[in-house]
Amino acid sequence: MMRVFLIFGWFLCFLVNKGEGMISKSLLKEIDSVNEGGPYIGIVVPNAFEMNPLLQSSSFVANQKRPYLDVSGRRFRLGTLEDQKIIIVMTGLGMLNAGITTQLLLSLFNVKGVLHFGIAGNANTELEVGDVAIPKFWAHMGLWSWQRYGEGPESELPLESNGDYTRTIGYLKFSDYNNDTTTKEKRHKDNLLNRVWYQPEEVFPIDTYPESRQHAFWVPVDKHYFSLSKQLEGMKLEKCINATTCLPRAPKVARVERGVSANVFIDNGAYRKFLSTKFNVTPIDMESAAVALICHQQKIPFIAIRALSDLAGGGSAISNEASSFAPLAAQNAVAALIKLVPLLAS
């Protein structure tokens, strides 16, 4: 494995245009030096307020000799967590940032597995604010084929015959959510927005011939990681923001079937209910599926931990308070992460 990374670093030296390249020769030498100390567990987190509780935890010890490396606008923080060697990187908001950052992490560093964590909206009414959800599968819900008005479920989608688009996953029909969905004659009212059909992502696995296109929708997390996460069930999580503001019950860790991501902040009850009913999802976020897809393409073990900050679209006085309970949810996600990391050494 080390030989592979040294060869990769040597190859990059030929790609660096002196004075113009994003990665200088001196930085490549530092990356090679870091990789000699690997392999590492890569920890990917969307935002600073989600990352800071981890950096402030007594379980995290920064590397004293080289606490971080800055590459292409990202800071890769080096250290240990519960005595396990880790690299922490913040992606920024959204699928594009999460995908780019994860690819940088895996391309540059000797990483044996990826843990992703943060907060999320909730589509599962059986769970509550503060609970930590660990899904078995992730999907990107933002890749659509938007059908023209007048066409129906039986109509072939543009380029479907070429294998570019499919009707196998299912659709959202906008007229199902009109305020008045039927006429006096009980015929269904149309909506000019018609339908959107959900689509899988194109992936190009590293162990196939280049440009050999495959498709992925429900991307599984690593089976071993998911099995180990069962040991987090029953752990104690934070219940109170302060002395006067507490959740109705103590939060819990729950392994769930599915989570979804898209570049959309979903604060809409109708769409939340649709996602829950149609796809049986729990956490809804803006990054996890991108991390999952990159790790799937790169054949790297992956799992995501998402603490629920609100019931998407509301449902009770407490469930829509994302601004109030996001810090508590972030702390609970970190607590679950800290307990999971040492289990990976087993």
Side-chain angles (χ1 to χ4, degrees), residues 12-177:
L12 279 179
C13 288
F14 285 89
L15 300 180
V16 174
N17 186 351
K18 187 175 181 181
E20 295 181 1
M22 290 191 301
I23 303 178
S24 65
K25 290 182 179 180
S26 61
L27 181 55
L28 285 172
K29 290 182 179 179
E30 290 191 74
I31 292 171
D32 285 342
S33 178
V34 167
N35 285 330
E36 289 174 1
Y40 299 88
I41 297 172
I43 297 180
V44 180
V45 55
N47 296 301
F49 83 91
E50 294 161 307
M51 178 176 63
N52 287 338
L54 175 59
L55 299 181
Q56 296 162 4
S57 168
S58 59
S59 298
F60 171 67
V61 179
N63 187 305
Q64 296 300 310
K65 183 178 180 181
R66 185 184 284 107
Y68 60 84
L69 283 179
D70 293 338
V71 183
S72 192
R74 271 73 177 179
R75 175 158 291 184
F76 295 87
R77 293 170 168 85
L78 307 170
T80 60
L81 187 64
E82 296 292 315
D83 297 323
Q84 300 300 309
K85 295 177 182 179
I86 63 170
I87 299 178
I88 305 170
V89 61
M90 187 182 79
T91 67
L93 186 69
M95 295 283 288
L96 179 61
N97 278 325
I100 289 173
T101 305
T102 304
Q103 184 64 65
L104 277 172
L105 171 70
L106 299 183
S107 295
L108 295 175
F109 296 101
N110 184 0
V111 173
K112 62 182 180 180
V114 171
L115 275 61
H116 177 58
F117 77 96
I119 69 169
N122 178 27
N124 181 353
T125 55
E126 294 183 1
L127 295 182
E128 297 182 9
V129 169
D131 289 347
V132 173
I134 305 178
K136 189 176 182 179
F137 296 93
W138 285 93
H140 176 208
M141 301 297 289
L143 187 57
W144 295 353
S145 176
W146 205 321
Q147 199 170 27
R148 70 174 60 183
Y149 179 69
E151 295 189 345
E154 72 288 345
S155 304
E156 183 176 296
L157 299 177
L159 304 179
E160 184 179 0
S161 60
N162 295 338
D164 292 332
Y165 296 100
T166 179
R167 291 170 293 173
T168 60
I169 296 169
Y171 61 83
L172 168 64
K173 185 178 180 181
F174 286 97
S175 64
D176 287 345
Y177 296 91

Side-chain angles (χ1 to χ4, degrees), residues 121-127 141 171-172 177 198 218 256-260 266 268-284 311-312 314:
N122 178 27
N124 181 353
T125 55
E126 294 183 1
L127 295 182
M141 301 297 289
Y171 61 83
L172 168 64
Y177 296 91
Y198 294 93
W218 291 114
V256 299
E257 187 68 14
R258 293 171 173 176
V260 295
I266 297 174
N268 182 276
Y271 192 57
R272 175 246 299 169
K273 291 176 183 177
F274 167 80
L275 291 176
S276 176
T277 302
K278 178 70 176 179
F279 296 108
N280 186 29
V281 306
T282 297
I284 307 170
L311 182 65

Side-chain angles (χ1 to χ4, degrees), residues 195-216:
R195 294 172 178 82
V196 293
W197 294 81
Y198 294 93
Q199 301 298 313
E201 286 281 357
E202 285 188 351
V203 293
F204 299 87
I206 58 173
D207 57 355
T208 60
Y209 191 80
E211 299 181 353
S212 298
R213 181 177 67 168
Q214 297 181 11
H215 290 96

